[in-house]
Amino acid sequence: MRIYADNAATTKMSKAALNAMLPCFEENYGNPSSLHSEGQRAAEALAKAREDVAACLGCTAREIVFTSGGSEADNQAIRTAAGLGARQNKRHIISTAFEHHAVLHTLEALKKQGYEITLLDVHENGLVTPEQVREAIRPDTCLVTVMYANNEVGTVQPIAEIGKVCREAGVLFHTDAVQAVGHIPVNVKADNVDMLSLSAHKFHGPTGVGVLYAKRGLRLEHLISGGGQERGKRAGTENLPAIVGMAAAMKEACEHLEENAAHMIKLRDRLIEGLSAIPHSVLNGDREKRLPGNVNFCFEGIEGESLLLLLDDMGIAASSGSACTSGSLDPSHVLLALGRVHDIAHGSLRLTLCEENTEEEVEYIIKSVAEVVERLRSMSPLWRDLVSGKREFILK
Ligand SMILES: *Cc1c(COP(=O)(O)O)cnc(C)c1O
């Protein structure tokens, strides 16, 4: 038996997405820019996908740009605002310390080009406040970018309120909504965002495709030059199978949002309850303001990597944090941003559920994690020092 509990890293593609994609390979393989019938059929499928995606986000089809995924959308959004800012001599950007690396590394590159970056501190509960954003905005601020929901600790930020602050100050607002779309209600108008990134493989769509929503009238910076696809905003022949698969997955996720969330919240809360019984442990991120499927714990005196390997042997696919940084021994920048010290951050476990997970699976996970944590602690010299009082416990 295998239990997949790493849905924040990527999800299994849905049947709806697959069924929407197959005709694009077998019959509907034309280039949407071609004038013949095959091309026009492809163009129609592309237009329909764009309409469906726009309907899910509450915007118009013209405001949707298809990209190669969340990372590209983040890059394009931030570089657009930076370019517009530079033309008005505004080179200050506000973000947070626990963004995805697609945002953080883009900001680092801009810093080398002379931009000034303010990274807001994240509170211990994994949240930033609209007041923090308001206080950080300066006359030369050209962009605020704050993620909708964090990919490691799952906390959901007050995006609509932050957007309101930005609007009042006349500053562009971008949100990386890769973890949010398809999981919680997202509406670009109600959320007061100017630009938003999303990625299909985080909601049961294919990998390698995403969207940048850009408010009407915003002139996007090109990352890729070439043909005039995407109304000149992103060159390259459209990845029609992936785009059509994404639209199908998104439609399905949006239609079942509430029931899926209710199911996952039930499982999540049971998981949190069960894992809290393990001594010297702590839940990372706010208990309430978190994604329906996200559970993230630190266990004192163990190493996350060993925990993951043993859980994998027991049939459970989990993560210690972000898939993009695991494999490196550095503790997660997200947990450090929440104020966890290195020793504690090293012992982290992220379990991210989807609507297909079951109560039985959750019970098995609780039992297995408790067992493995105990086994690892019994072998750890650090744990011995803690128990003997040579070192002091940090958690409870
Ligand atoms: C996965 C993820 C990304 C990157 O998306 P890709 O489509 O894999 O490039 C960006 N931001 C967040 C929050 C993510 O979880």
Side-chain angles (χ1 to χ4, degrees):
M1 179 188 64
R2 291 292 300 172
I3 298 174
Y4 187 73
D6 198 14
N7 285 280
T10 197
T11 55
K12 185 175 91 177
M13 210 170 70
S14 69
K15 281 281 180 300
L18 182 66
N19 288 337
M21 291 172 79
L22 286 176
C24 298
F25 297 109
E26 290 169 342
E27 304 136 34
N28 207 356
Y29 47 78
N31 184 325
S33 299
S34 298
L35 287 179
H36 45 63
S37 308
E38 285 83 353
Q40 288 318 293
R41 273 210 308 278
E44 275 166 33
L46 183 66
K48 170 81 168 48
R50 201 184 301 278
E51 290 287 345
D52 288 346
V53 166
C56 288
L57 294 175
C59 63
T60 63
R62 288 167 66 114
E63 295 172 305
I64 297 296
V65 178
F66 293 122
T67 68
S68 68
S71 299
E72 185 186 329
D74 284 342
N75 273 260
Q76 192 168 14
I78 292 167
R79 289 191 181 276
T80 291
L84 290 171
R87 256 164 264 152
Q88 305 169 60
N89 241 331
K90 295 178 172 182
R91 289 188 174 80
H92 177 236
I93 298 174
I94 299 167
S95 189
T96 76
F98 77 157
E99 295 295 312
H100 190 273
H101 283 134
V103 169
L104 287 180
H105 289 170
T106 305
L107 295 177
E108 268 167 41
L110 287 172
K111 194 171 169 183
K112 292 201 185 96
Q113 293 169 27
Y115 287 82
E116 204 184 318
I117 315 294
T118 299
L119 294 184
L120 301 176
D121 287 335
V122 181
H123 292 274
E124 200 193 335
N125 63 358
L127 294 166
V128 293
T129 64
E131 290 70 40
Q132 281 177 282
V133 174
R134 195 195 313 274
E135 280 163 23
I137 290 179
R138 313 190 312 210
D140 63 340
T141 305
C142 62
L143 172 70
V144 171
T145 173
V146 175
M147 70 198 317
Y148 210 115
N150 184 270
N151 47 305
E152 291 189 33
V153 294
T155 46
V156 179
Q157 307 304 317
I159 289 302
E161 289 84 349
I162 294 174
K164 189 158 169 269
V165 167
C166 296
R167 205 136 285 173
E168 282 163 9
V171 176
L172 280 179
F173 178 43
H174 165 255
T175 185
D176 174 339
V178 173
Q179 291 290 334
V181 170
H183 303 278
I184 54 175
V186 171
N187 180 297
V188 294
K189 297 289 172 329
D191 289 331
N192 303 316
V193 301
D194 300 311
M195 291 182 280
L196 175 146
S197 312
L198 66 88
S199 175
H201 75 103
K202 303 290 174 71
F203 52 81
H204 305 286
T207 311
V209 64
V211 164
L212 172 59
Y213 156 80
K215 188 181 64 177
R216 199 182 170 152
L218 204 59
R219 278 182 67 110
L220 289 178
E221 184 111 340
H222 296 202
L223 301 186
I224 300 170
S225 309
Q229 293 91 352
E230 297 299 290
R231 300 163 49 84
K233 290 165 179 166
R234 202 269 185 182
T237 303
E238 300 86 348
N239 186 353
L240 188 63
I243 289 169
V244 165
M246 169 168 64
M250 200 163 165
K251 216 170 153 213
E252 193 180 39
C254 291
E255 277 167 10
H256 300 279
L257 201 70
E258 278 181 32
E259 58 188 275
N260 287 345
H263 174 68
M264 284 191 279
I265 286 171
K266 210 168 125 206
L267 299 185
R268 176 197 74 187
D269 290 351
R270 170 65 194 129
L271 205 43
I272 291 175
E273 180 192 44
L275 296 181
S276 299
I278 297 175
H280 307 285
S281 67
V282 66
L283 174 72
N284 293 308
D286 194 82
R287 177 69 189 78
E288 304 296 331
K289 292 181 179 130
R290 65 190 307 129
L291 290 169
N294 177 291
V295 174
N296 189 315
F297 268 84
C298 282
F299 303 104
E300 188 158 11
I302 66 160
E303 264 213 37
E305 306 285 311
S306 331
L307 180 59
L308 292 186
L309 294 176
L310 291 176
L311 286 177
D312 190 38
D313 281 345
M314 298 172 87
I316 300 168
S319 157
S320 59
S322 153
C324 319
T325 39
S326 52
S328 90
L329 285 176
D330 294 333
S332 137
H333 73 285
V334 172
L335 295 179
L336 296 181
L338 264 62
R340 299 276 179 245
V341 296
H342 279 238
D343 275 356
I344 297 298
H346 266 302
S348 65
L349 174 68
R350 180 186 73 180
L351 296 157
T352 44
L353 308 169
C354 76
E355 59 278 9
E356 287 184 15
N357 289 109
T358 64
E359 288 178 23
E360 296 75 52
E361 288 180 343
V362 162
E363 294 308 322
Y364 179 76
I365 293 174
I366 294 170
K367 190 171 76 69
S368 307
V369 172
E371 222 174 277
V372 170
V373 166
E374 196 176 311
R375 190 169 355 141
L376 286 172
R377 281 175 172 171
S378 71
M379 300 186 303
S380 149
L382 174 60
W383 184 252
R384 218 168 302 143
D385 288 353
L386 288 166
V387 172
S388 70
K390 227 155 113 190
R391 279 169 83 117
E392 264 190 58
F393 278 110
I394 297 167
L395 300 179
K396 290 191 276 205

